[in-house]
Amino acid sequence: MINIKNLLSSEDLTKEDLYEIVDLANEIVKSPEDFSHICDGKILGTLFFEPSTRTRLSFTAAMDRLGGKVLGFSEAGSSSTTKGESLQDTVRTVSQYADIIAMRHPQEGAAYLASLTADCPIINAGDGGHQHPTQTLTDVLTISQYKHSLENHTIGLVGDLKYGRTVHSLIKVMNLFDNNKFILISPDELKLPQYVKEEVFDANSQYKEVRNLEEVIPECDILYMTRIQKERFFSQSQYTRLKDSYVLDCEKMKLAKDDMIVLHPLPRVNEIATEVDKDPRAVYFNQVKFGMYVRMALIMKLLEANNA
Ligand code: CP
């Protein structure tokens, strides 16, 4: 059984925890109506100090589908933060009303800070460029759904590997499973940082770094596209130069395996042409739905672990 109070980082979860959450999520996918009263009487607080479409709404939908209720805010401007209330006081207050809280904040470490004063479990729904563990759970469930295993995959990760928090977490998690290989596809300026490589990879890890997508797409079982994140750049001219480094289109998809899947945490800008959406290997909108199911499983597991 999962034995954590909060989910602040993907590293909080062991391989066994990941299997437990994914197995439960797979059961929910098969028969969601069996879970529709599991959280009757429970309340989820959603504290979003930064914009979100998928994460906030999927948490809301997840709690609704478990029979619970949701309260919260979608921007700091509508909370007493504008009067100078600290994050710790805000979270401590909401934890008097809610049984579990999902929060997003632009500052790295904000979820950890919140967990120090909250009287209920905290789920990190994104803290700056640091962590987004429920996106990683979404990605892992999607891989499990389409590939029926979390092992023996060649995973191509494309785009902003420097600032992309979802990429860092996904590599860390998929590296826990046997015989996964990583192809890191990025411009030189957006390569996976050395500290992430040192944290994750050891002498047995299999990875390579390349610039050219077409060269390696035939090898990939999973292609994880990412957005070049304008908001993380200090220089507008560098962003403009790099923003269209990779555009996945139907021509490039012709080079890929018939059973390759394309994932993207979304939102996308230009990195996947909309013509690709019709390709059955493009599963990023189904991935969005799996995000709701895996958050249902996570809410259940954390409430169970905390007897809340
Ligand atoms: N993938 C993701 O975190 O999307 P949102 O920013 O819309 O929540």
Side-chain angles (χ1 to χ4, degrees):
M1 180 175 145
I2 285 176
N3 190 21
I4 51 172
K5 178 176 179 203
N6 309 296
L7 181 62
L8 304 178
S9 152
S10 54
E11 284 115 286
D12 293 342
L13 298 170
T14 63
K15 189 171 161 179
E16 290 69 35
D17 294 338
L18 288 159
Y19 274 127
E20 204 177 312
I21 294 169
V22 167
D23 287 350
L24 176 59
N26 279 323
E27 277 182 51
I28 298 173
V29 171
K30 274 190 223 145
S31 188
E33 59 285 356
D34 290 350
F35 298 84
S36 59
H37 292 290
I38 295 276
C39 285
D40 281 357
K42 299 291 181 197
I43 295 179
L44 167 74
T46 54
L47 308 189
F48 278 66
F49 297 87
E50 213 186 31
S52 165
T53 297
R54 278 147 291 271
T55 311
R56 188 174 67 82
L57 295 179
S58 65
F59 266 115
T60 302
M63 196 51 158
D64 275 351
R65 284 172 185 263
L66 291 169
K69 292 194 164 44
V70 181
L71 56 79
F73 52 81
S74 57
E75 52 176 88
S78 62
S79 75
S80 286
T81 305
T82 53
K83 301 172 200 162
E85 186 169 44
S86 69
L87 173 66
Q88 290 98 316
D89 284 0
T90 302
V91 170
R92 192 167 186 181
T93 299
V94 177
S95 71
Q96 308 311 307
Y97 313 136
D99 300 288
I100 187 164
I101 289 175
M103 66 166 279
R104 174 174 286 189
H105 197 282
Q107 279 171 3
E108 303 186 359
Y112 168 72
L113 208 59
S115 74
L116 300 179
T117 56
D119 290 325
C120 71
I122 296 288
I123 301 172
N124 183 1
D127 59 339
H130 181 225
Q131 279 274 345
H132 191 354
T134 63
Q135 180 62 49
T136 307
L137 290 174
T138 301
D139 302 339
V140 169
L141 176 62
T142 309
I143 293 169
S144 151
Q145 280 278 321
Y146 285 98
K147 294 290 182 185
H148 312 295
S149 166
L150 298 174
E151 299 174 347
N152 303 314
H153 301 308
T154 297
I155 306 169
L157 300 119
V158 185
D160 178 4
L161 310 190
K162 181 177 179 181
Y163 299 112
R165 59 190 176 190
T166 61
V167 167
H168 301 174
S169 297
L170 185 62
I171 295 173
K172 283 178 192 169
V173 164
M174 291 307 288
N175 198 47
L176 296 174
F177 298 94
D178 289 345
N179 199 33
N180 285 326
K181 303 185 183 88
F182 302 92
I183 307 181
L184 309 174
I185 307 154
S186 72
D188 285 343
E189 295 89 336
L190 297 176
K191 279 166 82 167
L192 191 73
Q194 188 60 26
Y195 76 87
V196 178
K197 283 186 217 158
E198 284 168 14
E199 264 175 44
V200 182
F201 296 134
D202 60 23
N204 299 320
S205 302
Q206 303 181 70
Y207 78 93
K208 65 180 174 184
E209 294 179 290
V210 301
R211 281 195 219 101
N212 188 296
L213 172 59
E214 287 94 319
E215 198 178 282
V216 290
I217 198 170
E219 295 173 46
C220 295
D221 303 308
I222 297 160
L223 192 68
Y224 195 85
M225 298 297 297
T226 64
R227 175 172 67 95
I228 308 286
Q229 301 178 80
K230 188 177 183 180
E231 63 274 25
R232 311 270 181 229
F233 280 81
F234 293 111
S235 150
Q236 177 65 36
S237 61
Q238 192 185 41
Y239 169 71
T240 306
R241 186 164 52 77
L242 295 175
K243 71 183 170 68
D244 294 325
S245 297
Y246 303 100
V247 180
L248 184 66
D249 55 20
C250 288
E251 274 306 299
K252 293 190 186 82
M253 288 296 285
K254 284 183 191 160
L255 304 170
K257 292 179 185 173
D258 290 344
D259 64 349
M260 186 190 80
I261 53 170
V262 183
L263 274 64
H264 191 311
L266 303 179
R268 78 170 145 193
V269 186
N270 286 329
E271 58 280 0
I272 304 179
T274 52
E275 65 181 16
V276 177
D277 297 356
K278 291 192 285 294
D279 189 310
R281 296 169 292 179
V283 301
Y284 29 89
F285 285 107
N286 306 51
Q287 186 182 354
V288 167
K289 195 160 191 171
F290 293 131
M292 176 185 71
Y293 290 125
V294 88
R295 289 177 176 106
M296 289 170 76
L298 177 66
I299 291 169
M300 283 174 61
K301 288 288 173 191
L302 284 182
L303 288 176
E304 183 185 70
N306 292 281
N307 254 338

